[in-house]
Amino acid sequence: MRNFKNGAELLALCRQTQLPISELMMQREIKYFEGSRDEIEDRMSHAWEIMKESVREGQTEGNRSMGGLIGGEGHKVSARRMQGRTLVGETVSKAMAYAMGVLEVNASMGLIVAAPTAGSSGVIPGVFCALQEDFGFSDDEMVRALFTAGAIGYLITRNATVAGAEGGCQAEIGAASAMAAGAAAELFGADPETVLSAAASVLGTMLGLVCDPIGGLVEAPCQKRNAVGASNALVCAEMSLAGVESLIPFDEMVEVMYKVGRSIPYELRETALGGIAAAKTACELCGRCS
Amino acid sequence: MREISVFDVIGPNMIGPSSSHTAGALRIASMAHRLMDGPVKKIRFILYGSFARTYHGHGTDRALLGGMLGFSTEDRRIRDSFRLADEAGIQYVFECNTTEQDVHPNTVKIIAEDRYGKITEVVGESIGGGNARLRQINGVSVDIAGELQTVVVQQLDTPGVIAHITQCLYEEGINIAYLNVYRENKNEHAYSVIEADGELPASLAERLKKIPAVLQVNLIKL
């Protein structure tokens, strides 16, 4: 197979081979990293098991973060849903609660999969576990969908960035949410064009989001942004599946995101010098700001 | 440019909270740990830049200690590494240097002493996404990522040593991906760093050590 370097090349390859994005990403991995299909599948299954375990761990009340800013929020959101009082519906409530919980696991030195980063590690497990529970997808289907998510993350990493220090939160949570949206669309039978359209819609809707963690820690507002990234993935997948396409193609949207990222001031790119991190109360919370 | 793997994006699997402040820090310490011949007894960690400012909230200290205890980035024991180091009788201290400006923002210097009093000093940088590079070993500038199978040979800077090393690799049937030689001053200690495709056999170290000019051999694949 040929390598693909952007969304247009990927879609051309999909048309030519009549294969889904997940399969082409698998074939690319076999070709460039000298592993067998079984080895690569096993490795991805292992990542999926860690994701599921991090969701389970995140739903307990006992997670206290190292910085002390978060702990127990995912459990609270789930408790309300379990009382039958959810406002946003079962699946979105689960996705956001699970995403928040995984961030608690991460912030309390638990085991997570950085997908694509540790700061955005709640989004994909949140969306994936909610979809598996509510729609009965098998583990094999979820593992395959992780390759779709991986393809989108690879294209964003290659042609832009997924680092908050470089592109702000729009690059981290934005990428995670785009990856989850595309994967969700493929799980529900979307063709490759629709998958990338969902991802493009995510990037467009999270454009400009800054990275301003209180005290420089991966806790707040990161946890809530993981919740929003997870729900936004479902919103954008829903739009794409309904035929509401992104007007701007995926590749152009990645470029737009990168340009916007580079124009975000230094103070708003993970340095904890601006935004929420510089709010009066944030300074009091972390006790380090002068 | 190295191609981006799906596991660069769905991964690494790691103990949180930060790929650069936790997983990357641990990788530096893991490499330092593997450069030591004897069991570690005392460690001094000197943290620079962002490491110095935010190490506590990111658990960078636990991760560094975990790396020196031989844990992988996936090991759940990292959270308890203070207690585990105490139980193993390892002394450790963390110092912050916030005045040095001319360093990568996530830099640590590790000065470790083994049970026999031998000191290994490394400087490493956590460069993002859980990746790390060693920048110095015992004062000699190097550049080691530890991603491929890597052998670090400490040697006397005399003629014929490189020929010996490449001969050993040939005899073991190893294909060299990269070979770099680093030294500070002529006729003093130098380091050869060999990154290879495929597995490196344990017999390689013994073969390399057969000439006296080879002082120490460590395998640091992470």
Side-chain angles (χ1 to χ4, degrees):
Chain A
M1 73 157 285
R2 283 201 316 272
N3 195 9
F4 49 90
K5 299 187 289 295
N6 53 47
E9 288 181 15
L10 173 58
L11 291 180
L13 214 52
C14 288
R15 275 192 297 274
Q16 186 199 324
T17 57
Q18 293 296 303
L19 291 169
I21 292 173
S22 49
E23 175 57 24
L24 289 175
M25 192 63 185
M26 165 61 99
Q27 290 186 10
R28 178 183 177 277
E29 194 70 18
I30 295 170
K31 174 164 179 190
Y32 284 95
F33 296 93
E34 295 177 355
S36 70
R37 179 177 287 267
D38 283 351
E39 281 164 4
I40 294 165
E41 252 168 27
D42 284 352
R43 201 169 157 196
M44 194 61 94
S45 296
H46 178 58
W48 172 233
E49 289 305 318
I50 293 174
M51 284 186 181
K52 286 198 290 185
E53 181 58 30
S54 67
V55 164
R56 271 193 291 276
E57 272 182 47
Q59 288 303 297
T60 57
E61 287 173 274
N63 298 304
R64 283 314 302 177
S65 67
M66 300 294 292
L69 298 177
I70 61 170
E73 291 81 8
H75 177 79
K76 278 186 190 166
V77 173
S78 284
R80 185 177 160 86
R81 178 182 67 254
M82 284 169 191
Q83 291 163 4
R85 297 165 63 209
T86 165
L87 208 61
V88 293
E90 282 287 313
T91 308
V92 173
S93 168
K94 280 182 186 172
M96 60 183 273
Y98 295 169
M100 294 170 84
V102 172
L103 245 272
E104 294 168 38
V105 172
N106 181 56
S108 59
M109 299 197 85
L111 181 59
I112 56 96
V113 181
T117 63
S120 59
S121 59
V123 174
I124 291 176
V127 168
F128 274 49
C129 285
L131 291 179
Q132 185 175 43
E133 281 180 28
D134 286 3
F135 296 91
F137 294 111
S138 69
D139 281 333
D140 284 351
E141 287 172 303
M142 300 316 292
V143 169
R144 234 182 345 263
L146 281 175
F147 283 92
T148 310
I152 293 163
Y154 150 65
L155 291 174
I156 299 173
T157 305
R158 178 168 191 132
N159 298 307
T161 179
V162 298
E166 214 181 328
C169 191
Q170 57 152 16
E172 280 203 33
I173 298 286
S177 184
M179 292 160 72
E186 192 178 292
L187 278 168
F188 284 87
D191 59 26
E193 282 81 5
T194 307
V195 168
L196 289 195
S197 175
S201 291
V202 166
L203 294 177
T205 49
M206 305 199 93
L207 211 56
L209 191 60
V210 301
C211 178
D212 50 356
I214 298 175
L217 304 175
V218 192
E219 299 191 7
C222 319
Q223 185 190 36
K224 286 179 184 165
R225 289 189 185 153
N226 270 266
V228 169
S231 41
N232 191 40
L234 293 170
V235 168
C236 290
E238 180 101 323
M239 286 196 281
S240 280
L241 287 164
V244 183
E245 302 272 312
S246 172
L247 292 176
I248 309 301
F250 175 77
D251 289 332
E252 283 182 46
M253 202 62 104
V254 170
E255 198 186 328
V256 166
M257 187 276 278
Y258 195 33
K259 279 188 181 156
V260 168
R262 280 181 300 182
S263 67
I264 293 175
Y266 170 75
E267 288 77 10
L268 299 172
R269 282 186 280 118
E270 214 179 292
T271 53
L273 294 171
I276 292 175
K280 182 170 157 284
T281 304
C283 290
E284 289 161 11
L285 282 170
C286 81
R288 288 188 304 106
C289 307
S290 53
Chain B
M1 188 185 100
R2 179 181 162 270
E3 278 295 334
I4 298 160
S5 159
V6 72
F7 298 107
D8 293 325
V9 187
I10 309 286
N13 309 329
M14 55 168 273
I15 297 296
S18 160
S19 56
S20 53
H21 288 73
T22 316
L26 183 136
R27 282 179 69 96
I28 296 168
S30 296
M31 287 192 267
H33 180 240
R34 280 162 209 221
L35 285 169
M36 298 184 70
D37 271 352
V40 58
K41 181 76 193 158
K42 268 190 206 169
I43 319 163
R44 208 173 133 213
F45 298 97
I46 303 168
L47 307 164
Y48 298 87
S50 174
F51 270 6
R53 289 194 302 277
T54 65
Y55 76 93
H56 184 70
H58 278 129
T60 308
D61 43 5
R62 294 167 201 252
L64 286 168
L65 206 46
M68 292 301 294
L69 290 166
F71 300 164
S72 78
T73 53
E74 284 190 42
D75 200 316
R76 290 169 196 272
R77 291 175 295 177
I78 293 168
R79 203 170 357 198
D80 302 318
S81 55
F82 290 144
R83 181 175 58 77
L84 294 166
D86 291 341
E87 283 171 12
I90 298 170
Q91 299 167 38
Y92 51 89
V93 58
F94 294 89
E95 296 167 20
C96 293
N97 181 330
T98 48
T99 52
E100 177 66 56
Q101 297 293 321
D102 191 25
V103 288
H104 182 280
N106 294 326
T107 297
V108 60
K109 180 186 272 189
I110 303 173
I111 304 164
E113 187 179 330
D114 71 15
R115 195 174 288 165
Y116 315 106
K118 184 168 178 184
I119 289 174
T120 303
E121 181 183 311
V122 308
V123 175
E125 298 169 356
S126 175
I127 55 172
N131 299 305
R133 305 196 82 88
L134 285 191
R135 287 300 186 187
Q136 271 187 30
I137 304 173
N138 298 329
V140 178
S141 294
V142 297
D143 185 3
I144 303 173
E147 279 167 11
L148 296 171
Q149 292 274 325
T150 306
V151 195
V152 178
V153 180
Q154 189 186 359
Q155 70 209 47
L156 294 176
D157 183 29
T158 54
V161 180
I162 306 295
H164 167 70
I165 291 171
T166 52
Q167 180 66 26
C168 292
L169 291 164
Y170 169 70
E171 284 166 11
E172 295 281 356
I174 295 160
N175 187 39
I176 301 172
Y178 305 98
L179 166 62
N180 289 293
V181 184
Y182 305 94
R183 68 169 192 190
E184 226 44 356
N185 296 304
K186 210 170 162 182
N187 302 326
E188 292 181 3
H189 287 187
Y191 290 88
S192 291
V193 177
I194 303 116
E195 293 173 276
D197 299 322
E199 292 293 307
L200 290 171
S203 53
L204 176 65
E206 291 317 308
R207 198 185 280 271
L208 285 166
K209 282 190 225 165
K210 274 184 184 153
I211 65 167
V214 169
L215 305 172
Q216 190 174 326
V217 178
N218 299 95
L219 177 65
I220 61 163
K221 160 77 177 152
L222 298 180

